[in-house]
Amino acid sequence: MSYKQQAAEKIAAAINQLGVADFPAEKVQAMLETPPNPQMGDIAFPCFQLAKALRKAPPAIAGELAPLLSGAPLREAAAVGPYVNLFLDQQQVAAEVITKVTKEKEAYGSRNLGQGRKVPIDLSSPNIAKPFSMGHLRSTVIGNAIANIMEKHGYQPVRINHIGDWGTQFGKLIVAYLKWGSEEKVKAEPIKELLRLYVQFHEEAEKDPALEDQGREWFKKLEDGDPQAQRLWQWFRDESLKEFTKIYELMGVSFDFVQGEAFYNDKMDRIVQLLEEKDLLTESEGAMVVQLDEFDLPPCLIKKSDGATLYATRDLAAALYRHEAFDFAKALYVVGNEQRLHFQQLFRVLQKMGFAWATEMYHIPFGMMLKDGKKMSTRKGKVVLLEEVFAQAIADVKKVIEEKNPQLVNKDEVARQVGVGAVIFHDLKNFRLNDVNFSWEEMLTFEGETGPYVQYTHARACSLLRKGNYQPAEAPFPAEAFDSKEAWAIITTLNNFPDVVDKAREQFDPSQIGKYVIDLAQQFNKFYANVRILADEPELKAARLQLVHAVVIVLKEGLRLLGLQAPEEM
């Protein structure tokens, strides 16, 4: 039981003593706050909601409540205006928190909420024959972090890469390749050459609109199984996946299920048939739609007037396939904010079809990756290629290592861990719905709120453990070991880690953990600067090194949940 839960139970019992019977501990815990200044206490309870029941002013209630609160883990309770401020017993809490973290290690903060049930997570999903740009980074890293967080709470994530491998753009690409392409060039640099052809098609189509018709014709051939169209499509797909795999390996991201839109081509007729059987299809201007008026949503388009199916049909087929294949507890779609309406319609259509499991499907939207404040565009060739960003980040970190620590044994591996980590962390420290502006300066500095700063703090703490010849030690620890405000700030933050992981899971928000590890790193560096950790007294040194070890464990685990590695030397 957390200290907040323990405090909430004591407060609920005291409120009952004052004559208010229907004020349970769960309600109290939801009201608890953290005082803005640590000197005012560790936990604060506002008394405003009790004023009506007790017919007294909140400050008077606080004055009556405070004397009723005592006993572990509390050291003191004080009325401050309308609040009761609670002070925890620092020596007891320090010993309990450090012992718990160092014994549980990476399992600290874990829960078995999911009981092994599967959670398919639709993430990354780049388009075949287009480059893996910074615009694709967000879905990949947000989805991967959410998968790690769900796994920590006992779910079995199924990472799905639903690649864009179907649609009119392939007809356009076939036209471009047949007109201006070269097999040698595509083999040499598949993504760059296919992108060049795709951009050239749109430039030429502005001068010759007939090219658009040719693109549609070739896609129709592809749909009809034309051997040449099929061969070129398969080749573009295979070459693209090889390139994507290199980037995923660099990022440490792997998938359990890699199937594109084409995989569902033979599964859409079943959806149309089910919709017809349930009498949900209506005709609108020659097209077939599902009406969603009762949800204040526009109709969901299932079939065009020419009989062609659409994204919605395909995603309905994919949803049904995933439920049958994985029997999921939840299904998550980490897809940009601009697709919000599509997913609202998708989930409502599934509910209208009578699938109760559709209520456990969630769209996890995110903002755009901007360059100089503007959206990136593949069609116009205005993209920042992720592979190039990683290469540059790794090279920049290697340069810093050569300057600062040329004797480092595994320079290349550390440069990769820090360079790639810098790019990932730059995204995940931001709340996912916010747009992120691509910035080298912000990303790669070893100071401030960055991945390299947190990784460097972890390496510094590991170095301290080596230097101090760290050995595990049992509590009780000397009272003066943690009597500084810097040590207490670390202990209360370590204690909060399970709550932070809870919140990150509930809100599908990895930035909760991003902000947390920055906070913990900053607090450790203050402790490092102001407290003599390697003290002359053996008991003090041993106790403080236990705290350093606890910081190492939680920083490493926090970074792991975000998809970053934690070098022990930098």
Side-chain angles (χ1 to χ4, degrees):
M1 190 186 293
S2 73
Y3 298 115
K4 278 192 173 178
Q5 284 174 302
Q6 292 177 54
E9 291 200 348
K10 286 182 181 294
I11 294 167
I15 290 170
N16 194 38
Q17 279 181 260
L18 293 180
V20 181
D22 57 342
F23 222 89
E26 295 78 24
K27 186 174 181 180
V28 172
Q29 192 178 344
M31 295 166 64
L32 294 180
E33 299 175 13
T34 302
N37 182 344
Q39 293 177 337
M40 295 170 69
D42 302 301
I43 300 168
F45 174 70
C47 297
F48 304 104
Q49 286 193 36
L50 294 169
K52 189 176 178 184
L54 291 171
R55 297 185 180 180
K56 289 180 183 174
I61 297 167
E64 290 180 21
L65 205 53
L68 301 175
L69 300 169
S70 62
L74 303 181
R75 173 172 58 84
E76 182 189 344
V80 181
Y83 287 86
V84 176
N85 286 358
L86 307 174
F87 295 80
L88 296 172
D89 181 327
Q90 294 191 1
Q91 191 172 7
Q92 180 200 335
V93 170
E96 288 178 357
V97 169
I98 292 168
T99 301
K100 188 172 175 62
V101 175
T102 53
K103 279 192 174 170
E104 294 185 8
K105 297 187 169 61
E106 63 273 6
Y108 180 58
S110 298
R111 295 175 67 189
N112 191 20
L113 287 175
Q115 299 181 323
R117 289 199 67 197
K118 292 189 171 86
V119 177
I121 303 177
D122 197 316
L123 68 146
S124 196
S125 309
N127 289 320
I128 292 301
K130 291 185 186 176
F132 202 123
S133 76
M134 282 298 287
H136 296 103
L137 175 74
R138 303 217 67 196
S139 173
T140 309
V141 299
I142 293 168
N144 188 54
I146 289 170
N148 291 336
I149 293 163
M150 297 300 287
E151 191 170 35
K152 191 167 180 72
H153 278 174
Y155 292 94
Q156 186 183 336
V158 181
R159 292 171 174 84
I160 295 176
N161 201 358
H162 184 77
I163 51 175
D165 64 356
W166 205 247
T168 316
Q169 71 265 32
F170 290 98
K172 295 175 180 180
L173 196 58
I174 290 168
V175 171
Y177 176 75
L178 293 174
K179 283 184 178 293
W180 312 295
S182 146
E183 187 175 345
E184 282 178 27
K185 285 183 181 177
V186 172
K187 281 185 174 173
E189 289 187 304
I191 300 291
K192 279 190 179 175
E193 181 59 16
L194 292 172
L195 173 64
R196 187 191 69 75
L197 290 169
Y198 186 73
V199 171
Q200 185 175 354
F201 178 91
H202 286 99
E203 287 171 351
E204 298 291 338
E206 283 181 14
K207 296 177 257 178
D208 180 9
L211 282 171
E212 294 281 359
D213 294 329
Q214 289 177 39
R216 280 188 284 273
E217 285 164 18
W218 270 100
F219 180 58
K220 183 74 170 67
K221 286 184 183 181
L222 178 60
E223 285 190 303
D224 294 342
D226 177 87
Q228 186 183 13
Q230 286 274 348
R231 181 182 61 78
L232 288 172
W233 172 81
Q234 189 66 50
W235 180 44
F236 296 157
R237 189 182 189 277
D238 292 346
E239 292 295 335
S240 297
L241 283 174
K242 279 185 215 164
E243 293 296 301
F244 295 158
T245 300
K246 289 182 201 169
I247 295 169
Y248 290 132
E249 284 175 356
L250 195 59
M251 295 169 76
V253 174
S254 60
F255 294 92
D256 306 293
F257 191 79
V258 180
Q259 291 295 355
E261 294 172 34
F263 177 74
Y264 299 99
N265 281 347
D266 63 353
K267 298 169 180 61
M268 290 187 285
D269 286 347
R270 181 185 171 196
I271 290 295
V272 176
Q273 191 180 336
L274 281 170
L275 288 167
E276 284 172 345
E277 284 171 10
K278 292 171 188 290
D279 202 25
L280 291 173
L281 281 183
T282 55
E283 192 178 323
S284 174
E285 297 176 21
M288 300 307 289
V289 303
V290 175
Q291 297 292 344
L292 298 171
D293 296 349
E294 66 269 43
F295 304 113
D296 291 324
L297 292 172
C300 182
L301 194 53
I302 302 296
K303 256 189 171 183
K304 286 188 191 172
S305 52
D306 62 2
T309 49
L310 292 109
Y311 273 126
T313 331
R314 202 173 296 273
D315 278 352
L316 288 167
L320 191 54
Y321 175 85
R322 289 173 191 179
H323 185 262
E324 290 173 349
F326 307 121
D327 186 26
F328 55 70
K330 301 174 190 293
L332 313 181
Y333 295 81
V334 186
V335 181
N337 196 31
E338 61 273 16
Q339 294 294 320
R340 190 184 291 266
L341 175 61
H342 168 73
F343 284 105
Q344 286 176 334
Q345 291 177 310
L346 179 72
F347 302 158
R348 292 302 192 184
V349 170
L350 287 165
Q351 286 171 35
K352 284 188 80 163
M353 291 173 80
F355 298 126
W357 43 264
T359 57
E360 289 298 334
M361 300 179 79
Y362 302 88
H363 173 215
I364 299 166
F366 54 85
M368 290 185 290
M369 178 68 75
L370 306 176
K371 177 81 170 76
D372 303 322
K374 293 175 184 171
K375 187 180 177 181
M376 301 176 190
S377 167
T378 310
R379 183 174 289 196
K380 294 175 182 172
K382 291 182 179 175
V383 290
V384 177
L385 301 183
L386 189 57
E387 192 174 13
E388 291 175 6
V389 170
F390 281 142
Q392 185 66 53
I394 292 166
D396 286 0
V397 172
K398 184 100 180 279
K399 196 174 166 188
V400 173
I401 291 171
E402 294 288 2
E403 287 171 13
K404 307 276 186 185
N405 189 8
Q407 306 307 315
L408 187 65
V409 180
N410 52 342
K411 280 186 262 194
D412 289 342
E413 178 58 15
V414 172
R416 184 195 66 77
Q417 291 177 358
V418 178
V420 172
V423 178
I424 294 172
F425 194 87
H426 177 65
D427 188 304
L428 292 181
K429 72 176 183 181
N430 296 286
F431 176 52
R432 58 180 163 76
L433 278 171
N434 296 343
D435 292 339
V436 175
N437 201 47
F438 175 75
S439 163
W440 282 113
E441 295 73 23
E442 268 187 57
M443 210 181 280
L444 285 168
T445 177
F446 281 70
E447 297 171 1
E449 299 181 353
T450 67
Y453 170 75
V454 179
Q455 288 171 314
Y456 180 70
T457 302
H458 175 270
R460 169 183 268 181
C462 288
S463 169
L464 200 56
L465 293 178
R466 289 192 297 272
K467 192 175 174 184
N469 191 26
Y470 166 75
Q471 300 295 325
E474 296 284 328
F477 304 121
E480 62 269 33
F482 310 120
D483 59 1
S484 66
K485 66 179 187 294
E486 291 87 0
W488 182 240
I490 291 175
I491 288 157
T492 53
T493 302
L494 289 173
N495 182 50
N496 287 339
F497 182 64
D499 290 341
V500 171
V501 180
D502 259 356
K503 199 171 175 186
R505 187 206 75 251
E506 285 168 6
Q507 299 178 5
F508 304 120
D509 179 17
S511 75
Q512 299 286 340
I513 293 169
K515 293 181 181 79
Y516 174 89
V517 292
I518 290 167
D519 193 24
L520 182 57
Q522 289 171 339
Q523 287 170 358
F524 173 78
N525 285 317
K526 285 177 189 169
F527 177 61
Y528 181 85
N530 294 296
V531 176
R532 194 159 176 232
I533 298 168
L534 302 181
D536 293 332
E537 302 88 333
E539 294 84 4
L540 281 184
K541 174 186 162 185
R544 286 171 183 162
L545 284 176
Q546 306 312 307
L547 181 57
V548 175
H549 185 219
V551 169
V552 165
I553 289 166
V554 175
L555 277 183
K556 183 177 181 180
E557 180 61 5
L559 287 170
R560 184 194 72 80
L561 290 173
L562 295 175
L564 278 77
Q565 290 174 289
E568 293 188 6
E569 288 186 78
M570 275 171 71

